[in-house]
DNA sequence: TTGTACGCGTTATCAT
DNA sequence: ATGATAACGCGTACAA
């Protein structure tokens, strides 16, 4: 920066201002500085900037994985919103592990980010404390079924499960099962199961069987889930899967085995993945809107970063039962 | 850090060492420092660390978008490899624009990243110069059909097009068309078209029609591409689409219109997206391995960051024609 | 509108 | 194995 200052015949401070707050610098000076910057190929040092101003231009985002289109769509929108503000996004993949999430939070804190966007409202005690004590704006996503650390953008997984339960009931199904991520890894799945169970038991039918799978889940795991259901509860008439990925595996396996869907067995997923309308029969599912969730999470975080705590502390992203052929 | 030093009864420098290079510190001292760190909840300041050491722990990744599963799968693996080394990943979305890519490179440079992973080998002149002059390790992905700035991991898009061309020829199709991204936005599509054209013209048939679409492309755009092909070249017997997403739209539209696939019209995509085996008829496509590409790119970058320039400067990720029902 | 002095929190270097 | 001192490159606060 000193080189640029000399080249432009001004002080270093003026260069700093010309770059950071151009409105405080005379038009003429600014141009000279700009020319010097280009002539010398000067690139400001973000670390020095952060250290001096005690402020980074980074937001930390922690998600389970980018391999699932729901999370990547969410991150895509987060990046888009924040990039426009000159804020960059540092990604951490927790791989569905709270321990890994805790490590990520700890190491991301070293960057002194402007804020955090997290997945879910379930964190290790240490991570929660770390986040709370930081005093940073924090937006949690994907789960509105409990208290947020600071603010949350998402939906109620319980409500999602409820909707599916009611759909099954409307088709006069009463032997219901649920296949999804294990409770310890996937609290969102647990919420969906709870909602399903509430709807079913409220109608006077027995609490659905729950099969817990290890994450990440592929279509193959869906078949395993189907097998377990049929083994433990052969009378099952309808299965809710916690994600379309595993619902898909089960659906195709039913076709192979000659189990008629939805006559013999109803199948419903969550997510409305790209393939859901394409399979035969087409997959009934619950549509969620991860991109919107990402966008709103980023915008809410931005507001809070800018000191605006007047906004809502919780934003609901709608979900939508999409009834197709499989249930 | 001074607080920690006082609490542990040592100097700040020892704290720094205990954290950064524990092997240089006596076992006993290290434990005391560790305890002080935990007692005080000390979190190192990455900006200060970067400034003092003149070294960040960041890698910059620039891709067109995370919304496409190919790119997000790539980034997922990059993050996984680098996270294990304590390096974090900053993402930039170019939205298929070289101008935006240039801005991203410029602003990411301010973080003094350890290296860059970029998409494609086509960049604006200014971006190229910026990257070259930085002296940083750079890995370009997705395109091996030209000279890399530094190193490249990917495949030949020309070869992909060639393979599809030969497949069409093997089915005795000679009126061929190509639908894909516009040349200015999507150089990878241009490579695929060139390969296709090479194969077709080498067999003595006319150069295929090329339809150029604006990015990003959805299934809907595939229908528009199909329409244009049928309008400009009604005799077309086979269409290569530059991505499965648009091939899907065209395929479903053919079903709707009663155009028999593959008898009347062969359709082939690229990417082997999740839905490709699921549609009717199942989609013939070229499988690529974005996750592998990401992993290898990250590993190659790591090696170069560590000063190891002995490795290859170009790594080929295999691709694979997957013949299914549509061609 | 511009310049001067100082400090941000850490690591490198050298000394002990 | 540990400590003292000097940077690292910039923004803030204040003065001119």
């Amino acid at each position: 920066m000193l080189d640029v200052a000399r080249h432009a015949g001004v002080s270093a401070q003026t260069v700093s201002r010309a770059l950071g707050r151009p409105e405080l610098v005379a038009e003429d000076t600014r141009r000279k500085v700009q020319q010097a910057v280009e002539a010398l190929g000067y690139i400001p040092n973000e670390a020095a900037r952060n250290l001096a101003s005690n402020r980074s231009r980074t937001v930390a985002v922690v998600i389970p994985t980018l391999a699932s289109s729901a999370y990547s769509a969410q991150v895509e929108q987060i990046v888009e919103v924040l990039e426009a503000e000159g804020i960059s996004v540092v990604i951490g993949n927790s791989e569905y592990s709270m321990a890994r999430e805790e490590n990520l939070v700890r190491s991301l804190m070293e960057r002194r980010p402007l804020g955090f966007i997290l997945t879910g409202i379930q964190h290790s005690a240490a991570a929660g404390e770390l986040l709370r004590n930081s005093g940073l704006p924090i937006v949690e996503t994907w789960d509105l079924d409990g208290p947020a650390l600071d603010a949350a953008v998402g939906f109620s997984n319980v409500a999602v499960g409820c909707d599916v339960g009611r759909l099954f009931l409307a088709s006069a199904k009463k032997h219901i099962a649920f296949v999804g991520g294990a409770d310890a890894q996937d609290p969102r799945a647990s919420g969906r199961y709870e909602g399903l169970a509430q709807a079913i038991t409220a109608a006077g039918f027995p609490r659905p069987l729950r099969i817990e799978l290890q994450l990440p889940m592929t279509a193959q795991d869906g078949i395993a889930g189907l097998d377990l259901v049929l083994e433990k509860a052969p009378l099952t008439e309808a299965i809710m899967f916690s994600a379309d990925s595993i619902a898909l595996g089960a659906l195709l396996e039913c076709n192979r085995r000659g189990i008629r869907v939805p006559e013999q067995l109803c199948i419903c997923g969550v997510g409305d993945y790209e393939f859901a309308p394409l399979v035969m029969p087409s997959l009934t599912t619950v549509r969620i809107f991860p991109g919107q969730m990402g966008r709103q999470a980023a915008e809410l975080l931005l507001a809070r970063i800018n000191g605006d705590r007047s906004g809502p502390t919780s934003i609901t992203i709608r979900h939508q039962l999409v009834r197709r052929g499989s249930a």
Side-chain angles (χ1 to χ4, degrees), chain A:
Chain A
M1 195 159 111
L2 267 175
D3 294 344
V4 175
R6 265 193 291 274
H7 195 275
V10 297
S11 77
Q13 186 42 44
T14 299
V15 175
S16 168
R17 265 192 294 254
L19 265 44
R21 315 193 49 187
E23 69 279 10
L24 296 184
V25 160
E27 178 63 27
D28 196 49
T29 319
R30 218 185 59 211
R31 264 210 328 280
K32 274 191 301 194
V33 170
Q34 197 51 47
Q35 279 165 11
V37 164
E38 277 158 27
L40 300 181
Y42 168 72
I43 295 174
N45 183 321
E46 180 75 8
R49 192 177 263 170
N50 293 351
L51 191 57
S53 67
N54 193 27
R55 196 158 198 286
S56 78
R57 302 198 203 173
T58 301
V59 158
V61 175
V62 182
I63 50 162
T65 172
L66 276 172
S68 158
S69 70
Y71 295 117
S72 56
Q74 180 192 356
V75 174
E76 160 80 9
Q77 293 298 311
I78 293 173
V79 171
E80 187 169 320
V81 170
L82 296 180
E83 222 167 55
E85 302 289 319
I87 295 174
S88 39
V89 170
V90 186
I91 301 262
N93 286 358
S94 72
E95 313 288 349
Y96 299 98
S97 144
M98 270 168 49
R100 282 184 59 105
E101 186 193 51
E102 179 182 326
N103 286 335
L104 283 171
V105 167
R106 204 185 302 282
S107 88
L108 289 169
M109 281 287 184
E110 301 187 354
R111 281 168 206 273
R112 304 291 189 268
L114 296 169
F116 274 84
I117 296 179
L118 304 173
T119 306
I121 53 176
Q122 214 75 269
H123 317 285
S124 76
E129 202 177 345
L130 223 51
L131 289 161
R132 230 188 322 273
N133 291 345
S134 73
L136 290 172
I138 296 162
V139 177
E140 289 160 286
T141 56
W142 285 95
D143 194 347
L144 253 38
D145 293 315
L149 285 167
D150 178 26
V153 176
F155 55 91
S156 162
N157 289 286
V158 172
V160 167
C162 244
D163 287 0
V164 175
R166 286 204 212 94
L167 173 73
F168 288 162
L169 291 170
S171 309
K173 309 291 176 187
K174 32 192 184 296
H175 295 103
I176 313 290
F178 176 93
V179 176
D183 182 51
Q185 299 175 296
D186 194 350
R188 273 90 62 202
S190 295
R192 293 169 198 172
Y193 173 68
E194 276 315 318
L196 179 73
Q198 275 172 26
I200 302 303
T201 55
F205 299 117
R207 198 172 169 80
L209 168 67
R210 174 175 184 185
I211 301 295
E212 303 191 36
L213 303 175
Q214 296 302 306
L215 297 174
M217 305 177 300
T218 66
Q220 209 50 241
D221 298 312
I223 301 179
L226 173 70
D227 278 334
L228 283 169
V229 168
L230 296 181
E231 178 194 326
K232 298 196 178 181
L235 296 179
T236 298
E237 301 160 300
I239 309 179
M240 172 179 183
F241 290 84
S242 72
D244 282 359
S245 47
I246 48 177
L248 172 71
L251 183 64
L252 297 180
E253 184 65 11
C254 285
N255 289 343
R256 259 174 243 124
R257 296 193 194 167
I259 301 176
R260 280 168 298 125
V261 177
E263 295 81 0
Q264 274 179 270
L265 186 65
C266 282
I267 289 183
C268 181
V270 176
D272 195 19
Y273 288 14
E274 220 166 0
F275 55 73
L278 305 175
V279 287
M280 287 287 292
S282 57
L283 182 63
T284 293
T285 183
V286 181
R287 195 159 170 202
I288 50 186
F289 299 86
Q292 243 180 67
M293 201 161 59
R295 172 164 292 277
Q296 300 247 47
E299 283 167 357
L300 182 57
L301 188 69
L302 262 181
R304 296 175 90 80
I305 286 170
N306 295 329
D308 177 5
R309 304 238 158 195
S310 70
T313 185
S314 164
I315 296 179
T316 301
I317 305 294
R318 78 181 188 286
H319 66 267
Q320 190 178 352
L321 192 62
V322 182
R323 183 152 193 194
R324 298 206 181 92
S326 71

